[in-house]
Amino acid sequence: MAGADVTMLVGLAVSSLLYPVLCRSLDIDAERAVLASADSGLDPDHTGHQAEAGHHA
């Protein structure tokens, strides 16, 4: 290949093959439940304060 650097292409190929294999064990429903419980109670009236103050996101 006349000294061309192909490490990026090899890395992309390897990672694209490994990603679906390694992600099979993820439980999406459990992850969403954890996120929902972590987010509960965080700044519950945040949108109300923005509307009253006239701030834009």
Side-chain angles (χ1 to χ4, degrees):
M1 289 202 174
D5 186 10
V6 295
T7 56
M8 187 175 118
L9 295 175
V10 172
L12 181 62
V14 170
S15 63
S16 66
L17 293 174
L18 285 178
Y19 184 80
V21 173
L22 296 175
C23 289
R24 276 190 287 161
S25 65
L26 290 178
D27 185 1
I28 300 299
D29 293 329
E31 294 290 330
R32 287 186 180 145
V34 169
L35 288 174
S37 68
D39 287 344
S40 66
L42 294 177
D43 205 7
D45 57 353
H46 179 70
T47 56
H49 285 303
Q50 281 186 342
E52 292 170 10
H55 292 192
H56 299 283

